[in-house]
Amino acid sequence: MSTAPVDWEAARSLVYTAGLAAAPPAVDVPLADTDGHTLAAPLTTLTDLPAFPTSSVDGWAVRGPGPWRVVGRVLAGGTPPPLPDDGTTVEIATGAMLPDGATAVLRVEESSRTGDGLVTGTPRAQPEWRTPGEEARRGETLLPAGSPVNPGVIGLAASCGYDTLPVRRPPRAAMLVFGDELLTAGLPGAGRVRDALGAPVPAWLRRYGAEPGHLVGPVEDTLPAHVAAIRKALEGADLVCTTGGTMHGPVDHLHPALAELNAEYVVNTVAVRPGFPMLVARIPGPDGQPRFLAGLPGNPQSAIVALVSLVAPLLAGLQGRPAPALPRVTLAEAVPGRGDFTHLALVRVDPVGGTAHPVRHVGSAMLRGLAQSDGFAVIRPGTSGEPGAQVPLVPLPLLNGERP
């Protein structure tokens, strides 16, 4: 079977749209359990932030000019009575509610007491309290739907008064490693090589927001073994990633297995170098809901190209997140084109100047260059990357939700 490779940008759009259409429904999850999920609705404030005026220092809430007579004390969590008259004050703690009638807050370290107990000092010109709505007004949108939930988002939601959040759960991912020639331990030799994808790919998936689980490999190089392994993996996964077998060699059983499983190709080969024999297919799950299989080439760097090209936008769609945006970098050196194919070239990015420097050791079977890189510079078909040219960058993700 032969098929015309799909344009790289078009392929990314196709898999993102397919993932978004299959995104699971929103569920309300207790706030403390939402880390790693995705907001299914905008995060809006349920109250002004802060909800009432609060002191930003320890000191004295005073009314009118001093000296001031002490009439009480207010701590965080209390509701103070109003200051009754000019010349009165209450001791106030950081975060405590400002009493009505207060005209200033005097820092404790800038105050003194007279012999008869009056408070003296000069309040600063800048108010020493936070006003209601200073951070946000009630009903204001703080984060859009599709935002990843991290500890900062959880804290913000708690400050707004949320007990639960409507979210989409992280997609569940499984991985199958194909190839009888692979070793899972020890030194390569006697015609066999180490599996360099079974260990790192789950880490990449985690950084794209998935929950890696089921990992099997190497799967026996027979069609029945491939079909059985894929079927088993689909029982508990939204996405199954496979490595190797994406071509049509004598022991490449992925395409026949997909046919037996009634799969429908979303993308079957992409006009990109390296890694063009990548694919994404949609397969009916045991519950009738669609599942996805991403076929990654067996060469290690080509497999990572497939991850950043197809798996990243697919997972973004499955989580209801925006399609990954690509920043731009300036090429410090020339990067050749690949004719009618998009060229993804590994580069190291200077964080100060934003310039991208090609790295060495970038063959399809090599990982040395990848380990020293920040991402892939995108050289469009029919072009070459000249020094000084601005081109898109596909960043390699650092942590979940960062640089997708």
Side-chain angles (χ1 to χ4, degrees):
M1 179 182 66
S2 62
T3 182
V6 180
D7 174 76
W8 182 77
E9 290 182 350
R12 286 169 63 82
S13 178
L14 285 169
V15 296
Y16 174 75
T17 301
L20 192 61
V27 292
D28 284 324
V29 173
L31 196 57
D33 298 329
T34 57
D35 187 32
H37 290 59
T38 303
L39 290 179
L43 181 68
T44 59
T45 54
L46 304 179
T47 179
D48 287 345
L49 291 181
F52 46 83
T54 59
S55 179
S56 54
V57 297
D58 293 328
W60 305 93
V62 302
R63 176 171 175 171
W68 299 277
R69 174 173 54 89
V70 179
V71 296
R73 184 187 194 203
V74 57
L75 302 177
T79 303
L83 284 174
D85 306 294
D86 285 354
T88 58
T89 184
V90 293
E91 185 180 7
I92 193 167
T94 301
M97 184 177 182
L98 199 71
D100 287 343
T103 56
V105 174
L106 173 65
R107 292 186 176 216
V108 65
E109 67 269 20
E110 297 174 1
S111 69
S112 58
R113 302 288 290 270
T114 65
D116 55 358
L118 297 179
V119 176
T120 62
T122 303
R124 297 188 182 188
Q126 185 71 22
E128 300 276 22
W129 65 82
R130 299 176 63 220
T131 58
E134 179 180 310
E135 183 177 358
R137 289 291 183 184
R138 180 178 179 179
E140 184 177 341
T141 297
L142 304 180
L143 291 169
S147 298
V149 178
N150 57 34
V153 174
I154 294 172
L156 179 61
S159 72
C160 293
Y162 284 88
D163 299 316
T164 64
L165 283 177
V167 293
R168 288 189 172 89
R169 61 168 174 79
R172 301 160 300 176
M175 184 172 177
L176 302 176
V177 177
F178 297 152
D180 284 345
E181 76 281 7
L182 298 176
L183 294 169
T184 58
L187 296 174
R192 303 187 69 190
V193 297
R194 275 294 299 268
D195 169 31
L197 294 171
V201 167
W204 291 113
L205 295 173
R206 190 176 296 110
R207 281 159 172 76
Y208 284 122
E211 286 186 348
H214 187 79
L215 169 60
V216 173
V219 175
E220 183 183 356
D221 273 337
T222 67
L223 179 57
H226 279 52
V227 171
I230 295 171
R231 186 172 280 132
K232 177 66 177 177
L234 289 172
E235 291 177 0
D238 305 292
L239 167 67
V240 176
C241 287
T242 65
T243 63
T246 55
M247 295 291 283
H248 302 279
V251 290
D252 290 337
H253 302 295
L254 180 57
H255 290 283
L258 290 174
E260 190 161 326
L261 292 165
N262 297 316
E264 171 194 6
Y265 290 105
V266 180
V267 168
N268 184 10
T269 73
V270 178
V272 64
R273 297 285 188 177
F276 83 96
M278 61 181 75
L279 65 90
V280 168
R282 187 167 32 225
I283 306 174
D287 56 359
Q289 296 301 309
R291 305 284 200 272
F292 292 91
L293 182 142
L296 315 180
N299 276 328
Q301 191 195 147
S302 295
I304 305 307
V305 168
L307 274 173
V308 303
S309 297
L310 298 185
V311 176
L314 175 65
L315 286 173
L318 284 171
Q319 294 169 92
R321 297 182 180 182
L326 303 183
R328 299 185 76 82
V329 292
T330 301
L331 294 178
E333 304 170 37
V335 177
R338 291 293 187 94
D340 293 334
F341 284 61
T342 295
H343 181 197
L344 293 193
L346 281 170
V347 293
R348 176 180 50 82
V349 178
D350 179 351
V352 177
T355 52
H357 301 257
V359 301
R360 300 173 60 196
H361 309 291
V362 295
S364 293
M366 298 180 181
L367 288 174
R368 183 174 174 180
L370 182 79
Q372 304 173 48
S373 301
D374 297 302
F376 294 88
V378 181
I379 310 302
R380 293 293 298 143
T383 70
S384 61
E386 302 298 330
Q390 285 201 336
V391 299
L393 176 77
V394 184
L396 294 172
L398 295 177
L399 295 171
N400 179 21
E402 294 185 3
R403 292 172 54 179

